[in-house]
């Protein structure tokens, strides 16, 4: 089975660095995950008027209002079949700013659009 990213990129996927292919090549059949750790040099947000929207985004783990420098983070990628039977890759990013915050994304491949 090809990963959702390999489906979207086609032959161009093979031009990626092998470590990038490994991270973006996850499939649910592999039954494994990728976990990475690092430090975000600068974590920032837009103008002050965006603050309420960023706070609202914390409820769905899609945005957060914290900012800072040298913020430790962890990123976890899991591949699984969702409830509709679609191949799905999660990107779960956890930041240790003033408060622990998560920024999650769930990716699927759209055959109709030919992209993730």
């Amino acid at each position: 089975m090809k990963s959702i990213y390999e489906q979207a990129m086609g032959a161009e996927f093979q031009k990626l660095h092998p470590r990038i292919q490994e991270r973006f090549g996850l499939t649910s059949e592999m039954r494994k995950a990728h976990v990475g750790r690092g430090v975000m040099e600068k974590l920032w947000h837009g103008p002050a008027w965006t603050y309420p929207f960023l706070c609202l985004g914390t409820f769905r783990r899609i945005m957060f209002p914290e900012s800072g420098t040298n913020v430790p983070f962890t990123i976890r990628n899991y591949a699984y079949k969702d409830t509709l039977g679609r191949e799905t890759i999660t990107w779960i990013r956890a930041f240790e700013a003033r408060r622990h915050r998560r920024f999650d994304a769930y990716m699927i491949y759209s055959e109709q659009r030919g992209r993730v």
Side-chain angles (χ1 to χ4, degrees):
M1 163 188 285
K2 290 183 179 181
S3 77
I4 62 171
Y5 299 104
E6 190 172 1
Q7 290 176 61
M9 292 182 70
E12 294 293 306
F13 186 82
Q14 301 307 316
K15 294 179 181 178
L16 296 173
H17 186 280
R19 296 290 289 172
I20 300 295
Q21 285 183 37
E22 184 180 335
R23 179 163 295 272
F24 286 85
L26 278 180
T27 69
S28 59
E29 291 178 346
M30 294 175 168
R31 302 185 54 81
K32 68 178 188 175
H34 284 274
V35 178
R37 290 178 176 73
V39 175
M40 184 74 67
E41 290 179 9
K42 185 176 180 182
L43 189 62
W44 61 278
H45 56 76
W49 64 266
T50 65
Y51 188 83
F53 300 103
L54 296 171
C55 290
L56 284 173
T58 63
F59 292 104
R60 297 202 53 210
R61 295 185 179 137
I62 57 173
M63 296 181 280
F64 54 86
E66 276 71 26
S67 60
T69 56
N70 299 318
V71 178
F73 72 92
T74 304
I75 183 165
R76 293 176 173 87
N77 300 107
Y78 303 100
Y80 63 95
K81 296 272 187 179
D82 70 7
T83 56
L84 299 175
R86 301 174 299 188
E87 189 73 10
T88 306
I89 305 286
T90 61
W91 292 78
I92 300 172
R93 291 153 282 207
F95 294 89
E96 298 303 328
R98 288 188 320 247
R99 295 180 62 181
H100 174 83
R101 295 293 192 182
R102 277 184 40 185
F103 178 63
D104 299 352
Y106 303 89
M107 307 294 184
I108 60 166
Y109 175 72
S110 169
E111 288 195 31
Q112 182 182 20
R113 296 180 183 152
R115 62 182 165 205
V116 173

